[in-house]
Amino acid sequence: MSDFDPAGILPDDLLDRIRERAAAHDRENTFPHDDLTDLRAAGYLSVLVPSALGGAGLSLAEVSLLQQRLAGAAPATALAINMHLVWTGVAKVLADRGIDDLRFVQTGAVAGEVFAFGISEAGNDLVLLGSDTDAVPQPDGGYGFTGTKIFTSLSPVWTQLGLHGLDTTSPDGPRMVYAFVPRAEEAAGRLSVKDDWDTLGMRGTQSRTTRLDGALAPADRIVRRLAPGPNPDPLVFGIFSVFEILLASVYTGIARRALELAVQTATARASKKTGLPYSQDPDIRWRIAEMALVYDALPPELASISRDVDESADHGAQWFALLSGVKHRAVTMAKRVVDEAMLVAGGASYFSSAELSRLYRDVLAGQFHPSDPESAHATVAAAWLGPLQP
């Protein structure tokens, strides 16, 4: 990764165009179709797909750097495309371990398919370990899914929805069923997407609610049937590891941009009292130093843990604590950095048209993604202290 240049995939002129459009998508609550068009043309949908299959063949560590860079231009665009990259990343994690079950995701991404992440359900704090969505086996080996998925990013554009549900009717049930449902199920009347994404921040993700009414996943898109609860299956590890790392990358990118804006403001503005630029004010210098001190720890941590996933390192029972931890630290760090940047920039940053104002609202979304603060602390406590006694 030492020779990898993120600007080769995401050049400055592309990022400038994406950044210029971000404010309008936030203001108008619209999906960034032009961003997706530009990213598709740059081969971004298949950066994690092996070169032998037509992708860029990048590592998770390299794509983490790309997502940090993209998030600095448009956090909502980065977070939306994250959910597609999660599935291509899971396919890579499995393939790296000799498991080819998600080859169709890799070839689909190269062909232009957009994969969405349909796991979140209202009130389901089990996340990957359970589901309120019914998965009903079909005579042809497929499954019909009935339930409601929330926070389905890429809602206007996805072509395949990766999701899970609970099969309670099979003789070996209950079983968690992981599968992919095609967008054609919407035309068939078995899937509907509500236009209900009107949020404080991350508005461009258009992470709308998806209603499933017997939506059919064909037999060749049934990826796993697993017992509910904690499971060592590589698919579960793949989803958790790639999801947490790429989320952490987005919020680390937001922090970097907030730090850059604070430096720009401190350099450009001068004190009426002293006539000196604010970069010479001891209090401002302390704030910017504090921002850099907390930010600087995350990029190398992300590089290290991403590389460990890429290289199949053995962290044993500590894996989930490490992954929860990096996501939690990235989000809390980013919130702290943006808070300090707002103080450096002063009252101008309070206007909704200010980029920092948008970053301030966008960064709040981090606390709602798994692993949330409670889950992260519970996971780390269990790793160090063992499980709670019954």
Side-chain angles (χ1 to χ4, degrees), residues 18 38 50 65 73 96 100 110 114 143 154 167 284 325-327 358 381:
I18 290 174
D38 284 347
L65 289 175
D96 288 347
D100 212 23
V110 172
V114 178
Y143 268 84
L154 300 165
D167 174 5
I284 296 296
V326 72
K327 183 269 176 179
R358 175 163 46 83

Side-chain angles (χ1 to χ4, degrees), residues 240-322:
F240 196 84
S241 60
V242 179
F243 188 87
E244 298 291 79
I245 287 170
L246 292 184
L247 270 179
S249 302
V250 167
Y251 289 96
T252 298
I254 292 175
R256 172 68 184 224
R257 180 58 179 168
L259 177 55
E260 291 172 349
L261 290 173
V263 170
Q264 290 175 16
T265 300
T267 304
R269 293 178 60 205
S271 169
K272 293 289 186 181
K273 184 188 299 183
T274 66
L276 296 173
Y278 278 109
S279 59
Q280 299 303 305
D281 182 301
D283 292 331
I284 296 296
R285 293 175 69 85
W286 185 91
R287 288 194 184 281
I288 289 177
E290 185 70 11
M291 294 164 67
L293 284 167
V294 295
Y295 163 79
D296 283 344
L298 261 297
E301 182 180 358
L302 277 167
S304 176
I305 198 167
S306 299
R307 186 168 56 250
D308 282 356
V309 173
D310 285 326
E311 297 176 358
S312 301
D314 183 10
H315 289 297
Q318 289 289 330
W319 254 125
F320 286 89
L322 292 171

Side-chain angles (χ1 to χ4, degrees), residues 347-383:
S349 65
Y350 194 62
F351 284 85
S352 60
S353 59
E355 184 178 356
L356 264 177
S357 175
R358 175 163 46 83
L359 296 184
Y360 186 82
R361 290 180 287 106
D362 284 348
V363 80
L364 294 177
Q367 63 192 323
F368 301 111
H369 303 302
S371 298
D372 63 22
E374 293 79 12
S375 176
H377 282 80
T379 299
V380 174

Side-chain angles (χ1 to χ4, degrees), residues 124-193:
N124 179 17
D125 57 357
L126 292 171
V127 194
L128 292 176
L129 309 183
S131 176
D132 294 327
T133 296
D134 292 326
V136 179
Q138 304 297 299
D140 63 356
Y143 268 84
F145 292 85
T146 298
T148 301
K149 301 293 186 176
I150 61 172
F151 299 142
T152 313
S153 299
L154 300 165
S155 281
V157 297
W158 64 260
T159 61
Q160 298 283 337
L161 180 65
L163 78 172
H164 69 357
L166 187 65
D167 174 5
T168 60
T169 61
S170 292
D172 63 347
R175 282 290 183 269
M176 292 290 300
V177 182
Y178 289 85
F180 287 79
V181 168
R183 191 68 182 242
E185 288 299 284
E186 188 173 23
R190 293 184 287 265
L191 183 151
S192 58
V193 177

Side-chain angles (χ1 to χ4, degrees), residues 195-251:
D195 189 4
D196 61 351
W197 188 248
D198 187 11
T199 51
L200 180 66
M202 290 294 187
R203 289 161 64 82
T205 65
Q206 290 301 300
S207 306
R208 303 171 185 175
T209 299
T210 304
R211 175 66 191 173
L212 308 164
D213 295 294
L216 296 174
D220 62 353
R221 294 296 183 263
I222 307 303
V223 179
R224 282 292 190 283
R225 296 178 73 258
L226 303 172
N231 198 299
D233 191 274
L235 179 74
V236 175
F237 172 77
I239 293 173
F240 196 84
S241 60
V242 179
F243 188 87
E244 298 291 79
I245 287 170
L246 292 184
L247 270 179
S249 302
V250 167
Y251 289 96

